[in-house]
Amino acid sequence: MTDLSGLFDPDRIAVIGATDREGSVGRALLENLATFDGEIVPVNPNRETVLDADCYPSIEAAPNPTAIDLAVVAVPATVAVDVVRQVGEQGIKNVVVITAGFSETDAEGRRRERELAAVAAEYDLDLVGPNSVGVISTATGLNGTFLEGRPPEGSLSLLSQSGAFIAAVIGWATQHNIGFNDVVSLGNETVLDEVDFLYEWDDDPGTDVILAYVEDIDEGRAFIETARDVTASTPVVVIKSGRTEAGAAAAKSHTGSMAGSDDAYDAAFEQAGVIRAEDIQDVFDFGQVLAGQPRPDGDNVAVVTNGGGPGVLTTDAVGDSSLDLAEFGVETRTALDELLPAAADSTNPLDIIGDADLARFEAALDTVLADKGVDGAVVLSVPTALYEFAALAETIGDLQAEHGTPVVACLMGGEPADRAADTLAQYGIPNYFDPSRAVASLETLADYGAVLDRAYEPPAEFEVDRKRASEILAQTDDRDVDYLGVEAMALLDAYGIPTPPGELVESPEAAAAVAERIGGPVVMKIASPEIVHKSDIGGVEVGVPTDAVADTYRTILDRARSHAPETSLLGVRVEGLVDPAESTETIIGAKRDPQFGHLLMFGLGGIFVQIYEDTAFRIAPVSEHEARAMTDEIRAAPMLRGTRGRTPADIDRIVETIQRVSQLLTDFPAITELDINPLVVSPEGVSAIDVRVRVDTADLSPPD
Amino acid sequence: MTDLSGLFDPDRIAVIGATDREGSVGRALLENLATFDGEIVPVNPNRETVLDADCYPSIEAAPNPTAIDLAVVAVPATVAVDVVRQVGEQGIKNVVVITAGFSETDAEGRRRERELAAVAAEYDLDLVGPNSVGVISTATGLNGTFLEGRPPEGSLSLLSQSGAFIAAVIGWATQHNIGFNDVVSLGNETVLDEVDFLYEWDDDPGTDVILAYVEDIDEGRAFIETARDVTASTPVVVIKSGRTEAGAAAAKSHTGSMAGSDDAYDAAFEQAGVIRAEDIQDVFDFGQVLAGQPRPDGDNVAVVTNGGGPGVLTTDAVGDSSLDLAEFGVETRTALDELLPAAADSTNPLDIIGDADLARFEAALDTVLADKGVDGAVVLSVPTALYEFAALAETIGDLQAEHGTPVVACLMGGEPADRAADTLAQYGIPNYFDPSRAVASLETLADYGAVLDRAYEPPAEFEVDRKRASEILAQTDDRDVDYLGVEAMALLDAYGIPTPPGELVESPEAAAAVAERIGGPVVMKIASPEIVHKSDIGGVEVGVPTDAVADTYRTILDRARSHAPETSLLGVRVEGLVDPAESTETIIGAKRDPQFGHLLMFGLGGIFVQIYEDTAFRIAPVSEHEARAMTDEIRAAPMLRGTRGRTPADIDRIVETIQRVSQLLTDFPAITELDINPLVVSPEGVSAIDVRVRVDTADLSPPD
C-alpha cells in the first residue's frame, strides 16, 4: 500500500497559484495555511511576493524544490496539467489539485482529466482531486482547503466525495466540538480514492474512526476487501447518498457516474463490516461514540434516570433497536432496594425519582454498572435543584472509566447541559438531548462489536463440472437472445444444484421415453429462451400421465408456435413431479452490478418478493456464514425454521445451494442475470424447478 | 366546555405553602412568579412575610379572598385536601396542586386522591394535578412552576403527563428559541386531563399548535371526538411513550396505569387527525413548522441548493418520505436555464452550484417558488465566501412571504447558521443542519394539510337483525367458556355479513338433509366453543359428497369425543363449499381495548399477519371512508386491487363487511374478541368461512 502520510504530515508545502487577490481560492489557501507548523512555498509566475512572503515563478525556481513534500495546485484549469507535470519532474509525490474544470464539466474537461491521469501515472504521484476542496490535518495545523473555519482536533478522519459536505460540516463540527484528525475532499478521484484512505487511516494512530461521505464506489470489489480488513481494527462509518431512486438520479446528474443499486451497497457494507449511517447527524453521533466508548460485551442495556417520562421514551427507543433491556441480577436489585426510597422500583429502566441527589445517582449508577448482566447504559437526568449537571457529568465519567462498561448520557436541558457535555466529552462520553439518539449510539457500539467478533471465512469451493457449464452458456453465442430458459437446468445440474430428474427432448417419442424412465406423472415445459412466461401461453403441463406424454408434447409445441410463430423452439423438458410435503417456494436470484459484481438474492417467492420485499442480498462470492445469514435475515425465516408444528426445511441444503450459485457466478462473470424461481425447499432438501439465465455473450470466454 | 382561561390569565394568584426556605418548592414558586403581571398573595400559617411580602395564615385570611383567581397549592400532602377545600369555600375555581403523595404512591395516597376528587367535585373546581410541576403562561409572565428557567414566548402550547418532560424541555427550548404560549403539567389528572386542554387551546388565539406528551389516555372515546374537532382548526402533535412492549411495561410501572395497545393509540391518533411524533426532537420540529408555515397544496417539493452532495441527501430524504420531487414546468426550466451557468442543470433537485452568489440564489428560488407545480421547498446552502447566511436568510424569508409556498431551510454551518436561523425564525421558517429533519417537517405540513381536507363522515347504519344477534350472544351466558365458534356464523348472518349457505345440525340425518338442500359437495365443521383449532383434531372435512355426509357426521363427532371427552359438542355445521376463482384469504379481527373500545383489524391471513404484520387498525365505529382506508393501507392492497392480470377483488363488499362488523361491535360492547378468519374475498364478493367470538358475559344485556 502507498504511504500517504506525506499528504497530511509534510514539512514543506508549495502552494501553486498563491495570490493575495481578495476572494480568490489561492488567497484563502494561504490564509488557512498560516497555522501550518512547517514551511509554505508560494508559487505564482505573476507575483514576486504574496501576503508579504517571497513568491516563486515556478516550482523549479523555488528553493530546494525536490525537498518539497506536498504541492497544492490552485491554478487555472488550462495550465493545471502542465503545473502537475512540473511538480512531478521535481520528484514531489504528494499533490492536491484544487483546480476544477475536469471530468465534472464537459468533453474538454474529460480530455484534460485523461491527461492529468497520464502525468500522474508517469511520475507515480499520490494525487488528490482534481476538483477537490483540499485536505486538512489538525495534528500538524495543516488546513489545505479554501473553506472558512477549521475543525477542532480529534480522532475522526473524514473522506468525502462532496466538497460541499465538508464545507457544511466544518463550522457545525466546531460548534458541537466534534474533533477531527485528517479530512480529505476526494474530488474527481483521478488517482486516489476512498480505498487508499481507508488503508492509510487504518495504520494511522491518530485516527480512531473513519467517516466517509460517498456517492458511488467505482472499485466495488477492492472496496469490500479493503474495508473488511480495515474494519477488523478501525470502525468505518459511511453515509452513502443516492439511496432512493430519486436520490440516485440526482447523484447521477451531479457526479455523472452511474451508481450501483442500493441493495448492492447495503450488501457490500454489511459484508465489509462498514456501519451505514442514514443521515448526517448519525455519521457524527456514531463516529463520536465509536471513538470514545469501548465495545459492549452484549446487547443488554440499563437505563438510569431521575425522570420517569424520559425513561419511558428511552425504553421505547431500546424496544425499537436491536438492543435489549438488561434484567438486573438479584444482588443488584437488593442493593438498589436498599439505597433507593420506597417509592422507587429497582427494575430496569431504573427511575431513581425526581428527589434524587448526586449521592443517590452515583450509588445507583455504580450498582447498575457493577451488574455483569449490564453491557451498556444510558444515563438520563432532567434538571433538578439537587445537583449541578457538571458534577453529575464527572460522576458519570468516573464511573464509566472505573467499570469499563460503555455509557452514553442524556443530561437534558439548555446551557448547563452543554457545559456538562464538554466535561463528558473529556471522558469520551457523548451527551444527547434526545434519548433516541443515545440509544442509536449504543446500538452502533454493539453493531461494531459484532463486526469485531467475526472471523473472515473464505468461500467454499465445491467440485463442479465447469466444462459442461461453459458449453451450456456458450449456447447463447449463436442465438438472437441472450437468455437461457429451462435448458439451463443442466447448468444447475453441472454445479450440483438439485433439479428434478428430467431431460430436454426434441420429439414426442423421446419425451415418452424419458417419462417412462422417470416414472409418471411428469411435468412438461416448453424450452424456448424467448418465452419468458411459459405458463401464460400454455407452455407448462403438470402431472401428465406417462401414456399422455407424446400427445402433450405435440400440444405444447402447437401452442408455442401459434403464440409466437417466429420463436425458436428448443423442444420440451420432461421432468419428474416435485411436490414434497411441507414445501415452500423460495427464489435465488442474481444480477451483475456495475460496481460490485454479482449481487445475490434469496427470498420467498411471488408476493413475498414483489410486495413485502422480504429478501436478503450479498455480493458474490459468499462464504457459508454469509449464505446462512441470508436465510436467517429474511422476515419469513421462522417459516423455514418451522413454526406451529411444521417440520423445519433443510436449511443446510439451501445454504449450500446459495454457495453453489455463488461459485457459478464467480466462475462465469459473463452471467448478468440468474433466477432460480422457484427453488422448492422442504424438510427433504431443495429442488430447482425453473431457471432463467441471461448472459453477456461478449464476455463469454471459450470453454476451457 | 369549561373555560380554563383563569388558569393561564388570572389577575390574582394565591401561593399556598409560600416560604422563603432555600431549596423549597414554595420558594421556587414565588421566585418564578416574580415576573407575573398581576398580584401574588402568599399564604402560610407559619410565616408573617415571605421574601419581604406580607404572608397570610390562610386563604380566608387573605385580603378579598373571593377575588383570587388562581390558587397554587404546595403544602404537605397531609393537609393538601383541607387546603383545597378552603380554596373551594372561597369560591376560587382554578387550582393547581403541586403537592405530591397521592395515587402515584401507595394505598394511603390513593385514598387521599379520592378525597381530593370529592372536594373538587363539591366545589366544581378546575383543578390541575396533584403531583403537577405547575402551569406556565408566557403571555402573562405567569410561571407557576418550581422548575428552573422559563421558556421564551411563542405560539406552542404544551401539555404533559410527565413533569420531568417539561423540566427537560424548558432550558433546551430557551436555547433553541422555541417559543411557548401555555404549558401545563397534568400530574395525576384527578380533575382536568388532556381533553380539557385540547378544547381550551383550540379556542385560544395565542395557541397555534398544541403539543402533548402522553403516557396513557383514560377517556379514549372522548379524546378521539375532541381531538377530531380540534384538529380541524388547530394542529395537535403528540408524543406517546410506552410504544414498545418494554416501554409500555416501563410506563405501567411508572404511572401505575395500564395503557391500551399501541395499535389502538395509532388508530385513534390517525382517526382524530393527531400527528404522532416518534421522538422529542420531532415534537418540536413539527410544532415549529406547523406554527410558522402555511399548508402546502400538494406533495411536490423542490430542493434548491448550492452544494450537490447535500442536495442528493435531501433528495434521498424526499424519496423516503410520502412527498414527491416536483417536476419543474417548461417555463421554470427555461427561466432557470437562462439565469444559471451552463454547468448547472435546471432540474429538481436544483443545484445552482458552488459559485452561486446571492443574486443567483434569489433569482433561482424566486423562479422555483413561482412554479405552480411546486408545493413546498427545501432551501439548502453550505457556507460560501460569496454571501452571508444572514443575507440569504432574509432573501428566503421575503420570497416565502411573497409566494406563500411553505419553505424550510438548511443553512448548514456553525454560528453563522445559528444567527441566520434567528432571522428565519422571524419569518416562521425553521432551519436545520440535517436535511432529513427539513424534509420530515415539510412532510408533516402535508400530513396536516390532509387532515384539514377531511370531512368527518358518521358511520353508516345498516339494517340488521339485532334481536337474533343478541340471542346468539346470550348462548354464552350458561356455558363454561365465553367463546362462540362456528355457531357464531349465524351472528354474522344476522348482521348481513355473507357466510356460505349452511346450518348447525345435531344429527347425521339432519346433516344429510342440509347437504341435500345446499347441494354437495359440502364442508363440515365440528361446533364446539372449546375446540379452537378444529382442523388439528380432524374436526373439519372439506368437499364431502352428499351421500357421505351422514357417515362423516359420525366420524367427526367420534374424533371430537376421543380428542376431548369432556368437551361440550354442539353438533356439526354443514355448509356449501366456497372456492371462487382468484380468491384471497383475509381476516377481520377485533379486540376490546380498555381505553378506546373496539379496535378493528383488517389484513391478509396466516403468515401475512403473523410474520409481516401487514394489518390496518381503526377504532370502531368506522365510517365508510375509514373502512376503505383500511383496505388501502395494507401493503398487500395491490393484490386485492388486481395485479398482473388478476381481476380485482370486490373491495366494496370488503369495505361494507368491515362496517357491518363495526356496527356489530358497537351494538354489543360485551364482545371482547372477534375473528373472522378467513374472510374469503374474490371478484364475486366476500364470504366469512370461519368465526370465533369471545364475550364478556358480565357485560351482556338481556336481549331487547
Side-chain angles (χ1 to χ4, degrees):
Chain A
M1 277 300 113
T2 328
D3 171 16
L4 302 177
S5 60
L7 277 169
F8 300 110
D9 189 15
D11 290 320
R12 298 178 73 215
I13 305 178
V15 179
I16 311 180
T19 169
D20 35 24
R21 185 164 51 85
E22 285 281 356
S24 70
V25 167
R27 175 168 180 146
L29 269 170
L30 279 182
E31 284 175 347
N32 280 342
L33 284 167
T35 55
F36 175 57
D37 294 346
E39 186 192 343
I40 300 294
V41 182
V43 175
N44 188 331
N46 307 318
R47 306 203 174 232
E48 296 199 347
T49 62
V50 290
L51 299 181
D52 300 330
D54 286 340
C55 183
Y56 305 92
S58 68
I59 190 84
E60 58 241 276
N64 201 6
T66 58
I68 288 173
D69 305 297
L70 169 63
V72 181
V73 177
V75 298
T78 46
V79 299
V81 176
D82 284 341
V83 161
V84 171
R85 177 181 296 281
Q86 291 160 24
V87 166
E89 282 166 354
Q90 297 304 318
I92 302 168
K93 289 286 170 219
N94 301 298
V95 187
V96 176
V97 183
I98 307 281
T99 307
F102 289 81
S103 63
E104 81 281 10
T105 55
D106 50 15
E108 172 63 16
R110 283 190 290 278
R111 190 196 51 73
R112 190 175 289 142
E113 191 155 324
R114 280 193 301 273
E115 285 179 17
L116 182 66
V119 170
E122 186 181 341
Y123 295 98
D124 193 23
L125 301 181
D126 288 331
L127 183 144
V128 173
N131 191 25
S132 162
V133 305
V135 298
I136 296 172
S137 167
T138 58
T140 58
L142 162 60
N143 182 357
T145 74
F146 58 89
L147 304 174
E148 214 170 313
R150 44 191 303 219
E153 210 166 321
S155 67
L156 307 179
S157 286
L158 169 69
L159 65 88
S160 174
Q161 290 181 346
S162 160
F165 184 85
I166 296 177
V169 160
I170 287 182
W172 177 78
T174 306
Q175 198 181 11
H176 293 82
N177 204 18
I178 297 167
F180 289 87
N181 185 36
D182 296 338
V183 178
V184 60
S185 158
L186 294 176
N188 296 0
E189 306 188 351
T190 304
V191 178
L192 296 176
D193 66 11
E194 51 283 346
V195 171
D196 299 294
F197 290 95
L198 289 184
Y199 266 125
E200 175 62 22
W201 289 332
D202 188 29
D203 289 341
D204 172 15
T207 296
D208 285 339
V209 182
I210 299 171
L211 310 181
Y213 169 90
V214 299
E215 296 189 345
D216 61 273
I217 291 174
D218 277 338
E219 307 288 336
R221 293 268 5 137
F223 176 84
I224 293 178
E225 276 152 34
T226 306
R228 190 165 53 209
D229 268 13
V230 170
T231 56
S233 48
T234 307
V236 177
V237 181
V238 170
I239 181 165
K240 157 76 180 70
S241 74
R243 269 188 300 119
T244 61
E245 222 172 292
K252 191 185 165 188
S253 115
H254 168 222
T255 64
S257 77
M258 180 62 199
S261 88
D262 199 62
D263 290 326
Y265 280 99
D266 251 349
F269 293 153
E270 161 65 29
Q271 286 170 272
V274 166
I275 289 161
R276 184 169 187 175
E278 297 272 297
D279 54 43
I280 305 182
Q281 182 74 67
D282 281 352
V283 178
F284 297 98
D285 278 2
F286 296 171
Q288 283 194 293
V289 80
L290 287 164
Q293 288 296 294
R295 313 297 159 243
D297 293 329
D299 293 337
N300 299 308
V301 301
V303 177
V304 180
T305 178
N306 77 336
V312 180
L313 288 174
T314 311
T315 309
D316 277 336
V318 172
D320 284 337
S321 77
S322 59
L323 302 172
D324 298 313
L325 216 54
E327 204 165 311
F328 294 151
V330 180
E331 258 180 72
T332 306
R333 295 201 53 173
T334 310
L336 290 172
D337 282 336
E338 229 158 89
L339 68 92
L340 295 177
D345 261 346
S346 60
T347 51
N348 191 13
L350 184 67
D351 182 358
I352 62 172
I353 65 181
D355 64 354
D357 59 10
L358 191 58
R360 189 197 295 169
F361 216 129
E362 180 169 6
L365 183 57
D366 191 21
T367 306
V368 166
L369 291 180
D371 191 316
K372 290 276 167 265
V374 171
D375 302 313
V378 186
V379 183
L380 290 95
S381 178
V382 304
T384 162
L386 298 159
Y387 50 79
E388 299 284 332
F389 271 174
L392 178 60
E394 294 207 7
T395 302
I396 295 170
D398 290 340
L399 287 173
Q400 191 281 318
E402 187 186 325
H403 291 280
T405 309
V407 168
V408 296
C410 284
L411 309 193
M412 303 169 82
E415 298 287 354
D418 280 359
R419 286 196 305 275
D422 291 342
T423 305
L424 285 165
Q426 286 162 24
Y427 291 94
I429 298 174
N431 189 56
Y432 308 95
F433 176 70
D434 200 317
S436 60
R437 281 174 60 196
V439 172
S441 287
L442 268 191
E443 191 179 15
T444 298
L445 284 182
D447 288 347
Y448 185 61
V451 169
L452 290 178
D453 288 344
R454 285 186 200 171
Y456 174 66
E457 170 198 326
E461 278 237 34
F462 297 92
E463 236 178 87
V464 296
D465 188 345
R466 190 169 168 167
K467 181 157 179 296
R468 191 167 148 232
S470 184
E471 285 160 5
I472 296 164
L473 288 170
Q475 292 174 15
T476 52
D477 220 6
D478 49 353
R479 286 196 196 159
D480 293 343
V481 292
D482 51 2
Y483 280 106
L484 293 171
V486 289
E487 66 273 25
M489 296 294 274
L491 182 69
L492 303 185
D493 193 48
Y495 267 67
I497 295 160
T499 54
E503 220 171 287
L504 179 60
V505 294
E506 294 176 39
S507 72
E509 298 72 28
V514 171
E516 202 65 52
R517 183 164 51 75
I518 297 171
V522 294
V523 178
M524 298 176 67
K525 300 171 184 167
I526 186 75
S528 168
E530 286 166 43
I531 300 176
V532 174
H533 296 298
K534 295 186 288 291
S535 300
D536 293 0
I537 63 136
V540 178
E541 289 290 337
V542 176
V544 184
T546 317
D547 56 9
V549 165
D551 281 349
T552 305
Y553 183 97
R554 291 183 198 99
T555 312
I556 286 179
L557 237 67
D558 286 349
R559 285 181 191 149
R561 278 201 203 96
S562 77
H563 167 263
E566 307 298 310
T567 295
S568 66
L569 300 174
L570 306 176
V572 170
R573 182 173 161 92
V574 180
E575 62 185 27
L577 186 58
V578 173
D579 187 17
E582 303 187 293
S583 70
T584 304
E585 295 199 346
T586 66
I587 297 184
I588 296 178
K591 222 179 176 134
R592 199 172 67 181
D593 181 88
Q595 266 81 36
F596 293 99
H598 289 107
L599 178 64
L600 258 174
M601 187 265 271
F602 174 72
L604 261 56
I607 182 176
F608 299 100
V609 170
Q610 292 155 25
I611 292 188
Y612 294 101
E613 295 168 6
D614 187 17
T615 47
F617 292 94
R618 289 293 185 282
I619 306 290
V622 295
S623 65
E624 188 194 326
H625 178 85
E626 289 169 331
R628 195 170 298 277
M630 292 176 79
T631 68
D632 275 347
E633 71 192 32
I634 61 170
R635 293 183 71 181
M639 256 185 73
L640 298 179
R641 287 199 225 97
T643 39
R644 257 188 79 180
R646 260 176 81 109
T647 319
D650 187 345
I651 306 269
D652 286 346
R653 290 294 280 173
I654 304 175
V655 171
E656 186 185 319
T657 305
I658 293 172
Q659 291 168 268
R660 286 178 180 272
V661 171
S662 163
Q663 184 170 338
L664 173 63
L665 298 166
T666 314
D667 286 349
F668 298 98
I671 298 176
T672 56
E673 286 175 33
L674 182 150
D675 274 292
I676 302 179
N677 182 12
L679 177 79
V680 169
V681 310
S682 75
E684 270 71 57
V686 307
S687 189
I689 301 299
D690 207 351
V691 68
R692 191 153 162 268
V693 177
R694 192 172 189 176
V695 177
D696 182 347
T697 48
D699 266 13
L700 269 181
S701 44
D704 309 327
Chain B
M1 278 298 112
T2 328
D3 172 16
L4 302 177
S5 60
L7 277 169
F8 299 109
D9 189 16
D11 289 320
R12 298 178 74 215
I13 305 177
V15 178
I16 311 180
T19 169
D20 35 24
R21 184 165 52 81
E22 286 282 356
S24 70
V25 167
R27 176 167 179 147
L29 268 170
L30 279 182
E31 284 175 348
N32 281 341
L33 284 168
T35 55
F36 176 55
D37 295 346
E39 185 192 344
I40 300 297
V41 183
V43 176
N44 187 334
N46 307 318
R47 309 207 170 228
E48 295 199 348
T49 62
V50 291
L51 300 180
D52 300 328
D54 285 341
C55 184
Y56 306 92
S58 69
I59 190 82
E60 60 240 279
N64 200 5
T66 59
I68 289 174
D69 304 297
L70 168 64
V72 181
V73 177
V75 298
T78 46
V79 299
V81 176
D82 283 342
V83 162
V84 171
R85 175 181 298 281
Q86 290 160 25
V87 167
E89 280 167 355
Q90 296 305 318
I92 302 168
K93 289 287 170 218
N94 300 299
V95 188
V96 176
V97 183
I98 306 282
T99 307
F102 289 81
S103 64
E104 80 280 10
T105 55
D106 51 14
E108 172 63 15
R110 284 189 289 279
R111 189 197 51 71
R112 192 175 289 140
E113 190 154 324
R114 281 193 299 275
E115 285 179 18
L116 182 67
V119 170
E122 186 181 342
Y123 295 99
D124 193 23
L125 302 181
D126 288 330
L127 182 143
V128 173
N131 191 26
S132 162
V133 305
V135 297
I136 296 172
S137 167
T138 58
T140 59
L142 162 61
N143 181 357
T145 75
F146 58 89
L147 304 175
E148 215 170 312
R150 43 187 307 216
E153 209 166 320
S155 67
L156 308 177
S157 285
L158 168 69
L159 63 88
S160 174
Q161 290 181 346
S162 160
F165 184 85
I166 296 176
V169 159
I170 286 182
W172 177 78
T174 306
Q175 199 181 7
H176 292 83
N177 204 18
I178 297 166
F180 290 87
N181 184 36
D182 295 339
V183 178
V184 60
S185 158
L186 294 174
N188 296 0
E189 307 189 349
T190 305
V191 178
L192 296 177
D193 65 12
E194 52 283 347
V195 171
D196 299 295
F197 290 95
L198 288 185
Y199 266 125
E200 174 63 22
W201 288 332
D202 189 28
D203 290 340
D204 172 15
T207 296
D208 285 338
V209 182
I210 300 171
L211 309 181
Y213 169 91
V214 301
E215 296 188 346
D216 60 273
I217 292 174
D218 277 337
E219 307 287 337
R221 293 273 359 141
F223 176 83
I224 293 179
E225 277 152 33
T226 307
R228 190 163 52 208
D229 268 13
V230 169
T231 55
S233 48
T234 307
V236 177
V237 180
V238 170
I239 183 165
K240 157 76 179 70
S241 73
R243 268 187 302 120
T244 62
E245 222 172 290
K252 190 183 167 189
S253 114
H254 167 222
T255 64
S257 77
M258 179 62 198
S261 87
D262 197 62
D263 289 326
Y265 280 98
D266 250 348
F269 292 154
E270 160 64 30
Q271 287 170 272
V274 167
I275 288 160
R276 184 168 188 175
E278 296 271 298
D279 54 43
I280 305 182
Q281 183 73 68
D282 281 352
V283 178
F284 296 98
D285 278 1
F286 296 171
Q288 283 194 294
V289 78
L290 287 164
Q293 288 296 294
R295 312 298 159 244
D297 293 330
D299 292 338
N300 299 309
V301 300
V303 177
V304 181
T305 179
N306 76 337
V312 180
L313 289 173
T314 311
T315 308
D316 276 337
V318 172
D320 284 337
S321 77
S322 59
L323 302 174
D324 298 313
L325 216 53
E327 204 164 311
F328 294 151
V330 180
E331 259 180 73
T332 305
R333 294 200 53 175
T334 311
L336 289 173
D337 282 336
E338 228 158 273
L339 67 90
L340 294 178
D345 261 346
S346 60
T347 50
N348 192 13
L350 185 67
D351 181 358
I352 61 172
I353 63 179
D355 64 354
D357 59 10
L358 191 57
R360 189 195 297 170
F361 216 129
E362 181 170 7
L365 184 57
D366 191 20
T367 306
V368 165
L369 292 180
D371 190 316
K372 290 277 166 264
V374 171
D375 302 315
V378 186
V379 182
L380 291 96
S381 178
V382 304
T384 164
L386 298 160
Y387 50 80
E388 299 285 331
F389 272 175
L392 178 60
E394 293 205 10
T395 301
I396 296 170
D398 290 341
L399 285 174
Q400 191 282 317
E402 188 187 324
H403 291 281
T405 309
V407 168
V408 296
C410 284
L411 308 192
M412 304 169 82
E415 298 288 353
D418 280 1
R419 287 196 305 276
D422 290 343
T423 304
L424 285 165
Q426 285 162 23
Y427 290 94
I429 297 174
N431 189 56
Y432 307 95
F433 175 71
D434 200 318
S436 61
R437 282 172 62 198
V439 172
S441 288
L442 267 191
E443 190 179 16
T444 298
L445 284 181
D447 288 347
Y448 184 60
V451 169
L452 289 178
D453 287 343
R454 285 186 199 170
Y456 175 64
E457 170 199 328
E461 279 239 31
F462 298 91
E463 237 178 87
V464 296
D465 189 346
R466 188 169 171 166
K467 182 159 179 295
R468 189 165 148 234
S470 183
E471 285 160 5
I472 295 164
L473 287 169
Q475 292 174 15
T476 52
D477 219 5
D478 50 354
R479 287 196 196 159
D480 293 342
V481 290
D482 50 4
Y483 280 106
L484 293 170
V486 289
E487 65 274 25
M489 295 295 273
L491 182 69
L492 303 184
D493 194 48
Y495 267 67
I497 295 161
T499 54
E503 219 171 287
L504 179 60
V505 293
E506 295 177 39
S507 73
E509 297 72 27
V514 170
E516 203 64 54
R517 181 164 53 73
I518 295 172
V522 295
V523 178
M524 300 177 67
K525 299 171 184 167
I526 187 74
S528 168
E530 287 166 43
I531 300 176
V532 174
H533 297 297
K534 294 186 288 291
S535 301
D536 293 359
I537 63 137
V540 178
E541 289 290 338
V542 176
V544 184
T546 319
D547 56 8
V549 165
D551 279 351
T552 305
Y553 183 99
R554 290 181 200 101
T555 311
I556 288 178
L557 237 67
D558 285 351
R559 287 180 189 150
R561 277 201 203 95
S562 80
H563 167 263
E566 307 297 311
T567 296
S568 66
L569 301 174
L570 305 175
V572 171
R573 181 172 161 92
V574 180
E575 63 186 26
L577 186 57
V578 173
D579 188 16
E582 304 187 294
S583 69
T584 305
E585 295 199 346
T586 67
I587 298 184
I588 297 178
K591 220 176 178 137
R592 200 172 67 182
D593 180 89
Q595 265 83 35
F596 292 99
H598 290 107
L599 178 64
L600 256 174
M601 186 266 271
F602 174 72
L604 259 56
I607 182 177
F608 300 100
V609 170
Q610 291 155 27
I611 291 188
Y612 296 99
E613 295 168 5
D614 187 18
T615 46
F617 291 95
R618 289 293 185 283
I619 306 290
V622 294
S623 65
E624 187 195 325
H625 177 85
E626 288 168 332
R628 194 169 299 276
M630 292 174 79
T631 68
D632 276 347
E633 71 191 35
I634 60 170
R635 293 183 71 182
M639 256 185 74
L640 298 179
R641 288 199 224 99
T643 38
R644 258 187 78 179
R646 261 175 80 109
T647 320
D650 187 345
I651 306 268
D652 286 348
R653 290 294 280 176
I654 304 175
V655 171
E656 184 183 321
T657 305
I658 294 172
Q659 291 169 270
R660 285 178 181 272
V661 171
S662 162
Q663 183 169 340
L664 172 64
L665 298 166
T666 315
D667 287 349
F668 297 98
I671 297 176
T672 56
E673 287 175 32
L674 180 149
D675 275 292
I676 301 179
N677 182 11
L679 177 78
V680 169
V681 310
S682 75
E684 270 69 57
V686 307
S687 187
I689 302 299
D690 207 350
V691 67
R692 193 152 163 269
V693 178
R694 192 172 189 175
V695 177
D696 183 348
T697 48
D699 267 12
L700 270 181
S701 46
D704 306 330

